[in-house]
Amino acid sequence: MSSLNPELVRGSLDLMILSVLSDGAQYGYLIQQKLKAASGEMIELKAGTMYPILHRLESNKLVRCRWDESTGRRRKWYELTVAGKKHLKKRVGEWQAYVQCLQRILGPLVDPSPQPA
Amino acid sequence: MSSLNPELVRGSLDLMILSVLSDGAQYGYLIQQKLKAASGEMIELKAGTMYPILHRLESNKLVRCRWDESTGRRRKWYELTVAGKKHLKKRVGEWQAYVQCLQRILGPLVDPSPQPA
DNA sequence: CGCCAATAGATTGCCAGTCTATGTATTGCG
DNA sequence: CGCAATACATAGACTGGCAATCTATTGGCG
């Protein structure tokens, strides 16, 4: 699924999708492309992974969607709801707390020079 | 299991255990205590979660273990093997790559002031 | 014109892995 | 003496991603 450790990526798939959606409405295939680009080709979200997540987000009222059947190629546009935007903010906070916590646990194991020259 | 988002924590449980073990040999219960302390009480690793992981690490030859039955309270000491130390280093690198990647995806959503005053 | 690749959405079934619950036994304190 | 803490372990339930598969459209190439 990605050149990154899949176990790690697993826990933040919906965070990533939510994040991509924060740019505005997108349809599934677009989300895959954007995520791939935004991650520097590191993340390649498979359809069988993404759609269940999108459906889950929808049933949780975090995203809303609309079919566009105006062209032969039908597209389903997904968009963050107000609750979704709030949820995203919360999830970002959780992620930062997690990163800081793990950073602390790893302690001296992590190279303390993350800033690029 | 923790006050952190469990979904996120999930992917790094073995990383955390490996990290605690990098301090030297530990037995299961000690690992729980150390992890709890190192995480600022954020992570409370349950026995039913930890032991399967330890057994998996053992069968993967990443940790080696020895029973101490000298006291009535028997303890099983776990220690990193050479392969385990190498593996830990690799996993730390993967984790850093993951963090940077996600940081990039989240982009402007992350508060760009992580350093404490 | 026919075919294939890319685009676009979705589902099914499998499997890995964590969590809850439970079980056993020891030690020390009140 | 009983209970809480220490100490290890497993069984079964449940969640969730992934591979595989399906349908259909569009556009380009031979």
Side-chain angles (χ1 to χ4, degrees):
Chain A
M1 167 252 281
S2 79
S3 60
L4 297 172
N5 184 308
E7 253 94 301
L8 292 172
V9 172
R10 218 168 258 216
S12 45
L13 287 171
D14 38 357
L15 175 57
M16 294 184 202
I17 292 177
L18 252 13
S19 169
V20 169
L21 285 175
S22 72
D23 273 351
Q26 325 264 341
Y27 56 91
Y29 193 77
L30 239 192
I31 293 173
Q32 292 179 300
Q33 305 302 314
K34 290 236 188 166
L35 194 51
K36 189 175 169 186
S39 67
E41 322 288 299
M42 302 278 251
I43 311 268
E44 277 182 65
L45 191 58
K46 297 304 188 322
T49 301
M50 178 183 61
Y51 288 111
I53 293 175
L54 284 172
H55 299 332
R56 194 167 66 240
L57 291 174
E58 191 195 353
S59 70
N60 290 343
K61 313 273 190 194
L62 300 176
V63 305
R64 171 183 2 128
C65 55
R66 230 169 309 146
W67 279 103
D68 172 17
E69 320 251 15
S70 64
T71 59
R73 174 147 303 167
R74 73 213 227 294
R75 291 192 178 109
K76 196 171 178 181
W77 292 81
Y78 295 87
E79 190 179 10
L80 288 185
T81 61
V82 173
K85 285 175 192 167
K86 208 186 296 182
H87 184 74
L88 170 57
K89 207 173 284 184
K90 191 179 125 206
R91 297 278 274 132
V92 170
E94 288 175 352
W95 188 73
Q96 289 181 296
Y98 162 69
V99 170
Q100 272 165 42
C101 182
L102 200 40
Q103 207 79 257
R104 198 142 38 91
I105 292 170
L106 295 178
L109 295 173
V110 293
D111 187 327
S113 55
Q115 64 273 35
Chain B
M1 167 251 279
S2 80
S3 61
L4 297 172
N5 184 308
E7 253 94 302
L8 292 173
V9 173
R10 220 167 256 215
S12 44
L13 287 171
D14 37 359
L15 176 57
M16 294 185 203
I17 292 177
L18 252 13
S19 169
V20 170
L21 285 175
S22 71
D23 273 351
Q26 325 265 341
Y27 55 92
Y29 192 76
L30 239 191
I31 294 173
Q32 292 179 298
Q33 305 302 314
K34 290 235 188 167
L35 195 51
K36 189 175 168 186
S39 67
E41 324 288 298
M42 302 278 251
I43 312 267
E44 277 183 64
L45 190 59
K46 296 303 187 321
T49 300
M50 178 183 61
Y51 287 111
I53 294 175
L54 284 173
H55 299 332
R56 192 168 67 241
L57 292 174
E58 192 194 352
S59 69
N60 290 343
K61 312 274 191 193
L62 299 175
V63 305
R64 171 183 0 129
C65 55
R66 229 170 309 145
W67 278 104
D68 171 17
E69 319 250 18
S70 64
T71 60
R73 174 150 301 167
R74 74 211 227 292
R75 292 191 179 111
K76 196 171 179 180
W77 292 81
Y78 294 86
E79 191 178 8
L80 288 185
T81 61
V82 172
K85 286 176 191 166
K86 209 186 295 182
H87 184 74
L88 171 56
K89 209 173 283 185
K90 191 180 125 207
R91 297 278 273 130
V92 170
E94 288 175 352
W95 188 71
Q96 289 180 295
Y98 161 71
V99 170
Q100 273 166 41
C101 182
L102 200 41
Q103 206 81 255
R104 198 144 34 93
I105 292 169
L106 295 178
L109 295 173
V110 294
D111 187 328
S113 55
Q115 65 273 33

